[in-house]
């Protein structure tokens, strides 16, 4: 279960990172 | 009463040190009987590594949660500010009879994305 | 609650000793040795996951900074527009 928990948290962290990266790119387009 | 409390305290301290000694002796016996070798670690070492990764996971999890919440809050704040600014610019353009600058396809797409 | 804390402190120590007692003879039986080495492999895998997780968290801390900077800049833009208005 520890391995599963770590894996789940890692997936969640990756998702948050991808979303934030996309968000920053989108915002910069509008700021131009 | 005071003497009773002191006595009780001594008993707890004794029990505590006894437990530490028992653990020490057991670990010492296992390490002696089964010393770590290059390819194999003994059960005590593995038990310690297990508790180390558990506490490392808890520390990282405690660090991750507030960061992801803060990111969400920042994103919401940016969205709110952006939409307010864009609305105001359009109003200004209307008021000054300036030609409304239409959003490019890319800008439309990211506006949708941010919504 | 102090007594409860003391109780859980002592119980935790007793649990640790019980764990060590269960693994006391673990190293001798060959089949159990394979169990130990499997656990060892799992620990290595989980540590790799944790390393990746740490990198992700460091990246998110940087992203957070960029988001804050973006926010400040956008709020200045908004002030300018309000001033224009």
């Amino acid at each position: 279960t520890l391995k599963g928990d770590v894996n789940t948290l890692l997936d969640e962290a990756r998702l948050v990172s991808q979303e934030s990266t996309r968000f920053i790119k989108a915002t910069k387009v509008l700021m131009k | 009463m005071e003497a009773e409390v002191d006595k009780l305290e001594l008993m707890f301290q004794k029990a505590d040190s006894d437990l530490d000694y028992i653990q020490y002796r057991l670990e010492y016996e296992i390490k002696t009987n089964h010393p770590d070798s290059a390819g194999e670690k003994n059960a005590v070492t593995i038990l310690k590594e297990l508790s180390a990764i558990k506490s490392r996971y808890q520390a990282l999890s405690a660090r991750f949660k507030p960061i992801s919440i803060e990111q969400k809050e920042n994103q919401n704040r940016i969205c709110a500010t952006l939409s307010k600014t864009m609305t105001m610019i359009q109003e200004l353009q209307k008021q000054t009879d300036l030609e409304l600058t239409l959003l490019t396809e890319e800008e439309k797409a990211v506006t949708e994305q941010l919504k | 609650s102090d007594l409860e804390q003391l109780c859980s402190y002592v119980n935790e120590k007793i649990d640790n000793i019980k764990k060590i007692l269960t693994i006391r003879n673990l190293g001798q039986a060959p089949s159990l040795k394979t169990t130990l080495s499997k656990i060892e492999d799992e620990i290595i895998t989980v540590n790799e996951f944790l390393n990746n997780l740490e990198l992700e968290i460091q990246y998110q801390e940087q992203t957070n900074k960029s988001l804050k900077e973006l926010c400040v800049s956008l709020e200045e833009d908004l002030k300018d527009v309000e001033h224009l208005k």
Side-chain angles (χ1 to χ4, degrees):
Chain A
T1 49
L2 177 63
K3 186 176 171 183
D5 289 348
V6 173
N7 216 4
T8 308
L9 192 61
L10 181 57
D11 286 343
E12 191 183 339
R14 279 184 178 139
L15 269 178
V16 170
S17 294
Q18 284 163 14
E19 190 189 298
S20 292
T21 308
R22 269 204 308 273
F23 183 89
I24 288 175
K25 276 189 190 142
T27 308
K28 284 186 175 172
V29 166
L30 287 181
M31 284 182 77
K32 263 188 280 183
Chain B
M1 180 63 177
E2 188 73 25
E4 285 302 316
V5 169
D6 287 342
K7 192 176 160 194
L8 205 58
E9 193 173 338
L10 276 176
M11 286 169 68
F12 266 109
Q13 281 173 2
K14 173 96 176 45
D16 193 22
S17 57
D18 284 347
L19 286 171
D20 285 342
Y21 184 68
I22 292 168
Q23 181 162 339
Y24 168 76
R25 281 300 301 271
L26 277 173
E27 287 180 355
Y28 179 77
E29 177 194 311
I30 291 173
K31 282 177 191 169
T32 312
N33 291 344
H34 313 288
D36 282 343
S37 59
E40 282 175 7
K41 291 175 185 158
N42 67 46
V44 170
T45 308
I46 285 181
L47 207 57
K48 285 187 187 307
E49 282 181 1
L50 268 176
S51 67
I53 58 174
K54 275 176 192 168
S55 51
R56 189 178 171 210
Y57 166 68
Q58 275 153 14
L60 284 173
S61 179
R63 201 169 134 201
F64 168 67
K65 297 286 182 215
I67 288 177
S68 65
I69 291 167
E70 192 181 349
Q71 276 195 42
K72 228 1 147 207
E73 284 167 359
N74 281 334
Q75 286 176 14
N76 292 338
R77 213 167 118 202
I78 286 173
C79 279
T81 309
L82 253 183
S83 71
K84 219 189 286 183
T85 308
M86 289 174 75
T87 310
M88 207 172 278
I89 286 174
Q90 284 171 354
E91 280 172 14
L92 272 177
Q93 282 175 335
K94 272 181 204 154
Q95 279 177 4
T96 53
D97 292 328
L98 273 177
E99 189 182 338
L100 276 181
T101 46
L102 295 178
L103 292 179
T104 62
E105 285 308 313
E106 188 188 17
E107 286 165 349
K108 276 180 196 163
V110 295
T111 307
E112 280 310 309
Q113 183 189 333
L114 286 180
K115 269 180 191 159
Chain C
S1 70
D2 284 346
L3 197 56
E4 279 166 356
Q5 273 182 5
L6 192 59
C7 200
S8 65
Y9 172 80
V10 172
N11 279 335
E12 192 178 336
K13 284 204 168 182
I14 292 171
D15 285 343
N16 278 341
I17 289 173
K18 279 181 182 171
K19 266 186 213 158
I20 296 174
L21 277 172
T22 53
I23 62 172
R24 190 176 189 183
N25 301 316
L26 199 61
Q28 287 170 4
S31 63
L32 295 178
K33 270 193 177 186
T34 48
T35 310
L36 262 185
S37 65
K38 274 183 190 157
I39 293 172
E40 205 174 326
D41 292 340
E42 286 292 292
I43 286 174
I44 292 169
T45 310
V46 172
N47 255 323
E48 279 166 13
F49 282 172
L50 288 173
N51 290 341
N52 290 338
L53 181 59
E54 189 150 10
L55 287 174
E56 279 297 328
I57 288 175
Q58 283 165 3
Y59 175 72
Q60 287 186 11
E61 281 163 348
Q62 284 166 18
T63 310
N64 240 1
K65 269 190 199 128
S66 325
L67 281 170
K68 277 179 188 158
E69 286 161 6
L70 265 182
C71 207
V72 166
S73 152
L74 276 169
E75 282 171 354
E76 280 167 12
D77 289 350
L78 177 58
K79 276 196 193 108
D80 290 347
V81 172
E82 281 169 345
H83 181 72
L84 270 177
K85 190 171 181 184

